[in-house]
Structure formats: structure tokens, C-alpha cells
Amino acid sequence: MIVNCVAYRDGERLADLMEEEISDYLEKPDCFVWVALCDATAQELELMKKEFHLHELAVEDARHGHQRPKIEEYGESLFVVMHLLEQVKGELRLGEMNVFVGHNYVLSVRSHSQRHFVAVRERCEREPHLLRHGSGFVLYALMDAVVDRYFPLMDQLESELEEIEEQIFSKNAARSNIERLYELKRKVMLLKHAVAPLMEASGKLFGNRGPEVCARGREYFRDVHDHLSRINASIDTIRDTIGTAIQVNLSMVAIEESEVNKKLAAWAGIFAVVTAFVGIWGMNFKSMPELQWEYGYPLALAVIGVTSLVMYRRFRHAGWL
Amino acid sequence: MIVNCVAYRDGERLADLMEEEISDYLEKPDCFVWVALCDATAQELELMKKEFHLHELAVEDARHGHQRPKIEEYGESLFVVMHLLEQVKGELRLGEMNVFVGHNYVLSVRSHSQRHFVAVRERCEREPHLLRHGSGFVLYALMDAVVDRYFPLMDQLESELEEIEEQIFSKNAARSNIERLYELKRKVMLLKHAVAPLMEASGKLFGNRGPEVCARGREYFRDVHDHLSRINASIDTIRDTIGTAIQVNLSMVAIEESEVNKKLAAWAGIFAVVTAFVGIWGMNFKSMPELQWEYGYPLALAVIGVTSLVMYRRFRHAGWL
Amino acid sequence: MIVNCVAYRDGERLADLMEEEISDYLEKPDCFVWVALCDATAQELELMKKEFHLHELAVEDARHGHQRPKIEEYGESLFVVMHLLEQVKGELRLGEMNVFVGHNYVLSVRSHSQRHFVAVRERCEREPHLLRHGSGFVLYALMDAVVDRYFPLMDQLESELEEIEEQIFSKNAARSNIERLYELKRKVMLLKHAVAPLMEASGKLFGNRGPEVCARGREYFRDVHDHLSRINASIDTIRDTIGTAIQVNLSMVAIEESEVNKKLAAWAGIFAVVTAFVGIWGMNFKSMPELQWEYGYPLALAVIGVTSLVMYRRFRHAGWL
Amino acid sequence: MIVNCVAYRDGERLADLMEEEISDYLEKPDCFVWVALCDATAQELELMKKEFHLHELAVEDARHGHQRPKIEEYGESLFVVMHLLEQVKGELRLGEMNVFVGHNYVLSVRSHSQRHFVAVRERCEREPHLLRHGSGFVLYALMDAVVDRYFPLMDQLESELEEIEEQIFSKNAARSNIERLYELKRKVMLLKHAVAPLMEASGKLFGNRGPEVCARGREYFRDVHDHLSRINASIDTIRDTIGTAIQVNLSMVAIEESEVNKKLAAWAGIFAVVTAFVGIWGMNFKSMPELQWEYGYPLALAVIGVTSLVMYRRFRHAGWL
Amino acid sequence: MIVNCVAYRDGERLADLMEEEISDYLEKPDCFVWVALCDATAQELELMKKEFHLHELAVEDARHGHQRPKIEEYGESLFVVMHLLEQVKGELRLGEMNVFVGHNYVLSVRSHSQRHFVAVRERCEREPHLLRHGSGFVLYALMDAVVDRYFPLMDQLESELEEIEEQIFSKNAARSNIERLYELKRKVMLLKHAVAPLMEASGKLFGNRGPEVCARGREYFRDVHDHLSRINASIDTIRDTIGTAIQVNLSMVAIEESEVNKKLAAWAGIFAVVTAFVGIWGMNFKSMPELQWEYGYPLALAVIGVTSLVMYRRFRHAGWL
């Protein structure tokens, strides 16, 4: 589906185009065309391929989807793949943003994503002094918008981790902690896969030998790269912390179990003594004088009670109870 | 066994050759010969060595087999080793594909593999405008075909992992989980060994200083490299997740055990109290007044029952039962 | 809030300036202006941006805060972000120091931090022969001051670790150890995030191709970098040790539990034997001769006692008790 | 001990030399001398040092032994240290092979190793067209022979690992598994230390800027390097697998223990109920009507039996028994 | 404290100097001064700073101490920091050796170390043909001496590890093993910190672009570097092995515990059966015919004994006892 198809000159909106008009405007000097597709069909991609002379391999990648984030140069044009991550009902859904950029065109293809990028076009049109830089600036604006959407996601993952951390030393939470940590790790890996390859690829956009298209605005691409570095560092910390948290959780299970074991051992000990005593006085020997005493029974109970109490206190003191 | 032996000119099939004719065609300009061997004998390899002037070390590698995936330059010709992985009855079987490429020949030697590569030849012949690029394009087509076969394998490993993940928090599955995780890890390592060295080696094919043979089609080799990077990244994630899953599985065992322990402790406690009571009333003291009461027995049972119930409730409340 | 705004020439304080005068002094040769802001408002930043012609992206970073430590070149000027870490009531609080440096100005913006940097200005004014080097030396002095504040923090983390290490092999401390290790790890990560990126970035300041501003004083920047390397190495050791300590702590829990288990097993064994004996003599068989013996009862007690003692000794010998 | 001392010209054996004649032949053009020492004494080394003008540091290394594998350039000559690993009675024994190579000599010094390298000389003399390349080819042949001896070792380590893997999920094997894994790891580390540094060092022999001596036969040194890479990759896999196997073994211990625990808990439960019943009917209350019933006893036994059976079935069903 | 202060020319001792004479000899051609300080005071350092024109930052580092090992160039002079490790009563003590080297002077400052380096001076004076190389050779000799002292330390750590390894599979040693492993790890980290940064830094001394001072003797510095690499590799192995040993130790605890548990379970089972039997025959049912049998009691004992024996054998067979 074609969302938008506009020609720009000198940072100003020139005209909304029909698909057939694209090639006319591509030939005009100082003019560039910015087309936005959404969940594009094979036909639409084929059409765009012809209009913009896109490379077959790049178009094929866009058609297939499921690419890693990357930035590829085909001659003087760029093909950029970015991941879109959207939280839908507690699940992270993976969409894709493919951008084809040449010196006089930008073609963005959004897939499997419900949040549009109209705001990017609006921002660009609000800043004509920057849009004047041409298609490179549009690429920056798109990348910046995609990357900016990673931040709230990362904040959310961080606060999920903090929630788990608050539970990690409390009792009886080991099972839910480990389930949540595992689920969190899965999400973090998704974000990592979106961020790390893009960070690496974007590092080439602002060096001295970066592509021509990005030449006028290296600081902007460095800024995008810097944002990605920041997210990436945070992700690495979260991953590292999840690893430690899993270990700590296991330690807590072991510690709790050893406490239960001590309790069990202490009570077992007390009752073993009680059982020994009552067993002894339950024996059928003919001559057991204490059985005949008048206060034998209460005395026996007293002995049993006192012994138990003494043991209880000792276990308590030793921290077993 | 010689599967095929064909000469091509200008992207078109020129002639099916006998082995002896190869050297004739090698001398014709703009012409290249593409030979496909399968489980080649030492004699066949020796013959090919002579026809194509292959380097001894490369031929020896092809004869021995069990090489790591690699791409080696011998003067202006290339020697490529790739792993073929085929799932046979739940087991991954390792085959090998050796390709010798010069500017006017391609020799592919397939070993220990049941799936042929005839489709590659068909594809090449269907695209004469690309085949015109010469032997380099054939190499690309072969590599592309080998790499494309890794994808379903990887998908399968991923779905095996997902199956295990669904079981990982359910009770009584720890033993089978750990067995499956270990087996999965083994398979993943096999795939890793096929992919990682080839990825590394293929990275040199599309740079500016890449081999002459691959000069006309750098984008295609970059595409292969990109596919390999994608698989490699997925493999790394699977490995990482397997590691975490093993840890989590161990945690689940510990958690389950601690739950069993608590149950055991709780019931042991209840029955210890019961035993203590019946022991007391089983003692043979002469003067134990309650034994003489008319309703002593039911009262005793009631005391025992109520105490047990109270304890049961408390343990229940504490989450031990 | 503007803390200070001073012009310097030849290493000497020239004049305290009003904000409006800044641009006058920027034009004078051999003269540089050093402005210190603290928790700057957007207006103040906007004003400074105009006075010093700062790059929009850098100013935006300073406004937003929450940046990673970094050193960015914008043309001939530098933008430096450093983390300030202050221990407040046992918690590490994260502040930020942003420094903009050009050949004739230094603008430092401190945020979320209670400890001022007035001492840096005093030090610089005490060393006019070094301040004469210009704004680069001020940058060094600021970086040096920030980095010097990391050392006591690191010492503190190290002594916390040592305290935990003293507890790690003592009994009943596992729970508090693991909690303290986890908390310590969290703090260490904060320090790591302050140090590692800054170390990496500062490595570029003293090479031959470093920025012009830092040209006269490469040794000084190398010194800062060296300090950062030292802290970084210590942090890595602490992290590594924390990891080992967590493992060791878990081992100690397991060892302690196995000791408890052995004790439990030993006592359970002794009492099981006692119970068996008294049970036997509590049976109601008509003809049990020993029950009729005159010294049957004390004999029985003796048998029980001796058996228990023998078992006790054996368990003791085996190290179970 | 001098094993051999031969002069070669043009790939052909020229003469067997006495030690004193060496220097004569070194001066002849197109001629090189190949000396093989075994467990050389200090005197022999001193003599060789003088004959070949070897560098003092290299000779010292050869005398001391216990070097890491390495390849060092001293001017135009090379000093190569390789590890020899021999399995003697299940133990890996570490020997050393030092090779000094100049353009007109090869001196090999074998230490602490029982397997000689006479076959290398034979191979070289069988291939005069290669030996004609000079001392560089001899170095290759020696390295190739050393590296080829690593393969059977690695195969053996791999099959030891496979044997352990077959035991890893079987019961009661945890203790021997862990012992064997630890022992295997130790051996693997020995092999790793032999292979990894040599691999790294040999990587420099076949580049464009490699030493002069190796110039005529870069493909051969690349082949050695490739073999080393292959072994190194296998070692890394074995190490990784050992790590996982240790974890899995621990998991299996935990799982088995939890199964034992469940069994213990189940039987304890059943017998606790039995004990409670017989305890109740062992009480001495005066009025316990069921004790007077004619079939009271068999009924009691029946009640006890049925209860036990029901419990047994339930535990069985729950997988605890 | 000034240990020594000597001027050398042409590899020969020229004169023992007073501090004031140093500057005179510095001006003489082909002459260099070698001063050795020990636990230098601030005054002594200040004096040396003036005599040799040392850089302030280097002197400050020497005064403060607690530096990481490093090699820094200040113009044409070098500042080298090395760690001295001495085992005192089972504890590793950390000293420091700072060396300032210019083309005509060497100043070594030893701190917190009881072992002097007089032997280095003696060795140098014994080898005038090498000492003639100038101050660079002295630096080599000092580095060589420091590094040589690491070897016995490493051997000791290795034999401590071997001692622990011998205990690791024996019973009841888990607690002491883990304590010793932890302590060993601490020592290894100390050595690592001494070796790794120095190895890295020394790598720059023997390249083509190394400092002028080291130009005549690159092989010697490479030798030092090679020694450091060897120690470093050994340290890494020790660390890796300690990690595995901790894991293995934990496994052994778990295995031992599971064996104890099985024993406990087996004995508990046997005695539970005994208790059930005696309990049954201790019931007070009126009509229990076997109680009236003449040989009822011995029969009962026999039944109990046989049952116990059968169970014992079965448990034994299953490896639980």
C-alpha cells in the first residue's frame, strides 16, 4: 500500500505524485522523491524497482523480510533494514522497516507494524533548512524515529528487571522469578538483535569514507549511532544482570531449602527423642519400677516436655528454628 | 562419479563434454567448463587435477575430506570447502562440497550427501544474462544453494528449542529437557561449524581486494555473506538460550525439590506429632487416669485429629502443602 | 544557574564577565572564557549555544542528560560527557558533567550533583604556567577532577568486597552475603558505565591525530586515560571476583546443607535403632522370656544405650557428627 | 645426541657430514645442511651455535626448554618451537621440537620425546622437486609432521568425550563422569597450548610479508596453518562441550537426587500412616471397642494394607515411585 | 634511600658518583648514569627530577605508587612501572619497581619490596659487550630480572592448584578445597595484574616503531615479552582450571550429598519396615493368635531380621548402601 509519494525541492514540498510521475521528477535537478510504502505487495515493489532502478538483491530482501538490520551500499545508493519492535499485549512483535536511498529518492517500506511514521515527514517538512540537505536527511530522520522507539522499550525492560530484583530475595518467589527472568531475557535478545547489527552498520555512515548520500550531515548519523550505542550498552547490562539474577535466584532456592532442611532436622530430632522416651516406657518388661510410681506418668510427661524444650531452645539458638 | 560435464559460452550451454575434451574447451576464449563430481574417486580427482592444473594441496584436501569450511586462493584460482548438513532420521549427517574455480572452469565435488545440486545448474541456465558473468557466478550459485539449505535446518533447531522452552517450567520434565537441550546443542555446534568459518572466509570475496574470479558480482557474494551472518547470529542466540535454559532447568529442579522437601517436612511433622501422642498413650504407667475414662479413646482420637488438622492448615497457609 | 564566568589571558584571570560580555572576549586574541553552569535551564543552554555557537545536537544531549560518557568532535570543538557518582546514604547517585570546549572557551555544565568543582578553577589559577596552554588544559583539569573522584568510590567498593569475603566461609551468612554481592555488583556496574566508555573515548585525545584543542598537553590526557585504565582494570577484577564469590557462596550453601544432611542422617539412624529396640520389647508376644528377667529393663536400657553410643562414635569418626 | 647431519644440493643428498665439516658446506652455493639433534646437551648446542651463528637467546630457549610454541625471526633466520604430545600409559607427555632455519641450514632439536622424525627426512628425499625449494621446505615438512601427530590425539580426545557423553544420562555414573571430564579437560588444555600459539605464529609465515626463508612455498605453510585451525576449532568445541557436560552432569545429579527424595518422601509417607495406625491400636485406653472384636486384628491389618496400597498407587501415579 | 649511583662508559664502570656529580656525567658523550633508589622519599625524587629533567607526571606516579604496570614515553625517555610480588608467610605482597630511562641515564626506584636487584648490576658489569649498548640494555636487564621472579611464583601457584586437584575427588574435602581455590584465585589475579598490562606494554618495545632507547637490542625486549606471554598463558590456564575446579567441587558436593541421601533413604526404609512390624505386634487387639504361639516371638524376630536383610541386599545391589 502506498502511504505517501511526494517530490521535494530545496527542502520544500513540491507536489504529491502519482506513481507514474515519479520518473519525471527524478530527472529534475535538486529534486528528490520520497515514497512511503506499507506492507508492500510484490507488484508494488516491482514497480518501485523499475522506477528507481533498485538492485534486485535489495528488492528481494525487502520482499522476503526477516532480514537482520543492515546497511548495504549498491553503487551510490543505500539499502537500510531496521527492526520495528512493538509491545502488543505483553508480547514483543517484530516488524521491519526497509529504506532505499539514492541521491534523489527515498523509498521506505514498512512491514508488520501498526505504528506509522507520518510524524517523520511532518518533522522534516517543519525543518526545511535541514530537509534541504536532501535524501540523506530523510534517511537520518527515519533512522532517528526508529531508534527513538527503542528507548521506551528499553526503559520497560529495565523496570521489569527492577520489579524482579525486588522479589529476588523474598521467599517463595523463586518459581515466578525464574519464569519472568527467562521471558525477560527473550525480549532483551529481540531488542539486542534489532540494535547491535544496526549500531555496527551505522558506524560506517559518519566516517570520512562513508557513503556520498550521508555526506552532508555526518554529525546527525553519529548521533543516531550514539543513541544505538547507549541502548546497546544498557542491553548488555540487562543481560549481564539477568545472568547474575538467575544465579542469585538459584542461590536463594538453595539457601531457602537449607533453611527448610534445618527446620526439618530440628523437629525430627525433637520428636525422635520424644518417641524414644515414650517407646521406652511402652516396653513390656515386668519389672520397670517407675511405671508403678504414683506420679510416674506426669513425671514422664515432664521429662519429655523439658527435654523437648531444651532441645527447642538449642536449635533456636543455633538458628535452625 | 561424474554427474555432469558441460561447456558454456556467453551464458549459453555449448556442449556436453567427455572428460578428454575438457582441455580443448579450456583453451577457447570466453568459454568455461563446469564439471560436477559426486563422491569422486582418487582416480577421478587425479584426472581433474591434470585437466585443470589444480594445486596438489587442494586436491589432497578434497580427497581426504573432513576439512573446515574455507576459501583458499591458489594463484588466480579458488578452492572452496563447504559443509552439507542433512537431517536423516533425526540425526544430522555431515557431507562436504568442494568447489575448484578458475576463470575458465568450475569443478564441484560433492561427498557424503544424498541431495544433488542439479537445480543450481538449471537455475544458471535459466538466467543466461547472469551466467554470462562466467565461472564466478556459478560459484555464487553453488554457495547460495548450499547456504539456502542451512535455513530450514536452523528453523528446525529453533522450533526444537521452542518446544523445549514450553516444557521448561512444567513439572517432571527436567530429565527429558536436559537430554534434549544437550542433543540440540550438539546439532547447533555442527551447524555453527558449517557456518562460522564460511562466513568469515566469504567476507573476503566482496571487498575491493577480493579475488579476480569474483570481481563481476560482488553484490552477490555479499548477499551470501549476509545470509551466513544472519544464520550465524541466530545460532549464537540459540546457543546462548540453550545455556540459559540449562541453568533455568537446573533452577527448576532445585525449586521442585525444595517444594517436595517442604511437603515432606510438613507431613513428617504432622505424623511425628501423631506418633508422639499415640506413643504417650501407649506407655505402661500404672496410673494414667485418662486411659480409664469412658470416652478417653474417642477423645484421644479427637485430640490427635484436631492437632493434625490445625498443623495441616498452618502448613497449607505457609505454602508448604 | 551560572556558577562562574571568567575570561583568562596568558594563564591569568582577566575579568569576571556578565553573560552578555562573553562574545566580546571571545574575539580577543590569546584569550579564552571559562563558564561553569550548574543544573542549567533550557534558557541558559540556549543562551550559551548562541554565545559559543555550539552544535544543536550537543546542546540537545546536554539538555536531555542521561547520556553515556563520550567525547565528540564537532568541527574544531569538543563535547565531553562524564558521569559524576556520589554516594548518598549508601546509594550511588548519578550526576552528569558536560563540557563544551573550543579553542577560546570552556563551558562546563554540571547536573544532579551536589559536589561543586570550584577547586578545579582554583588549581588552574594557581598554575598559570599550565593554564597558559589554554582551554585544553582546563578540559584536562576538569577530567582529572572527575576521574579522581572515582578512586575513593572504587576503594569503597573494594573494601565492601573484602568485608563480604571475610564472611563468605563463615556459617549462616549465605543469605546476607548473596544480597550484599548483588547490591555490590549493581554499584560496580554503575561505576563501570562511568569509566569504560570514557576510557575508550579519552584514548583518542592523546594520539598524534587527536583534536587540535588537546595538542599542547598530550601527556596530561594520557595521564587521565591511564587513571581510567587503572580503575577499569580494578572494576573488572571486582566483577570477576563477585562472580566467583557468588559461585563460592552457592558452594558453601551446598556444603553446609550436606553437613546438616549428614547430621540429620546420623541422628535419624541412631534413633531409628532405639525405636526398633523399644518397639521390639513393646510387642505383646506371650512368651518373651527377657521381659520376665529381673534385670531385663536396665539391661535393655543398657543395650540401647551402648548401641547408640557405638553408633554415635562411628558417625563422629566418619565426620558426620 | 646427533641423529643425522647431511648436506643437500638441488634436492639431492650430497653427503653425510661430520660436525666439523658443516661450516665448509655452508659456504657452498645452492647447498644446505640439515642437522637433527635429539635431547641435545649444552655442549652440542654450543657447537651448533658456533657452526650456524645462532642467536644466543634462541639457543638459550632451546637449552631451557618449557617454551610456548612460537616462531621468532632473528634477522633472516627463524627459530621455531613446537610441542610434541605423546600418549604414554593414558598420560599425555609433553616433548619439544626446536627448529633453527636459515637460508642454508636446518637444525632440529627434539627433546623429551620417544618418537623420532626420520620419516620426514625420507619423505623429503623422496620428493627432490620439492626439497629443491631449500631449507624452507624442510621446515614445512617438519611442521607438517608435528601437526599431523596432533590429529590422532584429537580424535582420541573426541572419542573419550563421546564415551562420557553416552554415560552422562545414565544413573549412578555422575562421579566417574565428572572425574573423566576433568581429566579430559586437562588433556585438552595441553593440546590447546600446543596448537593455539603455533596457529597464531604460523599465520605470519604465508602472508606477503612473511620471512624470506618461507617465500617459495607459501601454500604449504598455509596448509599447515589450516590444519592447525582445524584442530584448534575442534579443541574449542571439545572445551565448550566439556563445560556443558559438567553442567549437565550436575543437573543429572540434582534430578536423580530429586527422584530419590520423592521416593524417600513417598515411602516415608506410607510408613508414617502405618505407624500412626498401629500406634493408635497400641494405645492402652480401657475402652477401645474394636480391640475386643473377634476379627478386629485382621480388619486392622486390612485397613492398614488398603490404605498403604491406595497411597502407593497415588504416589505411583504422581511419578514419585 | 640511594642504593647506588654509578657512571658507565663503553660498558665499563667509570665512577661511583655523589648525587651532585650526576649532571656533570650526563653531559659527557657515550656515558650514562645508573642510579638505584629504594623506597625513595619525596625529596630524593624531587632531586632526581631536577638532575634528569624527569616529567612531572611520571615523578608523581612514582611518588604515589599503586600504579598499573605500564611503559610510557615522555619525549625520548621512557617511564616503566612494574609490579614486584613477594611471598611473605603465605601472603603475596605487592611492591613496585619504577624505572626512568633516557639515552644517558637509568633511574630505578624500588618500593615496598625486600629483595634487592644488586645482582642485575653485577650481571651487567659482567657483560660489558652488552652493557655497551647503553641504558636500553640496563632497562632490559631490570625487566628481565623482574619477570624472572614471576616464574617461581607461577610454579608455586601451579603446584598449589595440583595439590587441590588431588583432593578434589576425595570425600569431605569440599570445604577446604573451595577455600583454597578462592585464595588461589586471589593470588592468581594479583599475578595477572602484574603480568598482563606489562606484556601488552612491552609488545611495543621491539617493533620497528619502538622507542629509540630500545633500538639496539630489540631481540632482548622480545625475549622479555615472550616470557611474559608464557606466564600470561599459564595464568589464564590456571584461572580457567580454577573455574572448572570450583564447578567440579560443587558437583562433588552434590554427588556426595546424593549418596548420603540414598543411604539415609535406604536405612530409613529398612527401619520403617521394622517399626511397622513391631508396631503391629504391639497392638492390643484381643485376638491376635500369633502372640500366643510358643515360638511367636523368635519367629517375629526372624521375620523382621529376614525382611531387613532382604531389603539391605536390594539396596546394596542398587548401589544405595
Side-chain angles (χ1 to χ4, degrees), chain A residues 55-57 60-61 65-68 70 72-75 172 174-175 178-180 182-183 185-186 189 193 209 239 242-243 246-247 249-250 253-254 256-257 260-261 263-264 267 271 274-275 277-279 281-285 288 290-298 300-301 304, chain B residues 127 129-130 140 161 165 168-171 208 219-223 226-227 229-231 233-234 236-237 240-242 244-245 247-248 250-252 254-259 261-262 264-266 268-269 272-273 275-276 279-290 318-320:
Chain A
H55 195 283
E56 197 187 311
L57 287 170
E60 210 172 307
D61 280 353
H66 304 299
Q67 302 295 314
R68 290 177 76 219
K70 63 179 173 182
E72 286 181 341
E73 289 183 64
Y74 286 97
N172 292 320
R175 185 180 281 271
I178 198 87
E179 288 187 16
R180 289 172 71 186
Y182 194 77
E183 176 62 19
K185 170 122 192 200
R186 223 180 46 72
M189 292 306 277
H193 282 178
R209 295 165 56 196
R239 281 177 69 193
I242 289 176
I246 288 176
Q247 271 192 310
N249 199 52
L250 180 55
V253 172
E256 238 185 277
E257 186 171 340
V260 168
N261 254 14
K263 265 202 191 114
L264 172 56
W267 284 116
F271 277 99
V274 171
T275 306
F277 272 117
V278 301
W281 288 314
M283 292 194 295
N284 295 325
F285 285 97
M288 295 172 68
E290 69 268 39
L291 295 184
Q292 312 305 325
W293 298 350
E294 194 171 352
Y295 295 105
Y297 179 45
L301 290 184
I304 291 170
Chain B
E127 305 184 306
H129 62 290
L130 291 172
Y140 155 71
L161 182 55
E165 281 180 324
I168 211 163
F169 297 113
S170 65
K171 300 201 173 186
N208 277 325
E219 277 91 357
Y220 290 92
F221 288 105
R222 188 177 65 191
D223 198 54
D226 186 59
H227 287 180
S229 308
R230 188 137 53 102
I231 299 174
S234 295
D236 285 345
T237 305
D240 185 277
T241 308
I242 289 176
T244 310
Q247 271 193 309
V248 165
L250 180 56
S251 291
M252 291 312 296
I255 290 171
E256 238 186 275
E257 187 172 339
S258 88
E259 287 169 358
N261 254 15
K262 282 179 184 167
L264 174 55
V273 169
T275 305
I280 285 170
W281 289 314
M283 292 194 296
N284 295 326
F285 285 96
K286 199 170 187 180
S287 131
M288 295 172 68
E290 69 269 39
W320 287 37

Side-chain angles (χ1 to χ4, degrees), chain C residues 270 306-321:
Chain C
I270 293 176
V306 168
T307 317
S308 302
L309 201 70
V310 168
M311 289 180 75
Y312 178 82
R313 290 226 172 133
R314 292 195 138 206
F315 280 124
R316 184 111 208 169
H317 188 73
W320 286 37
L321 277 176

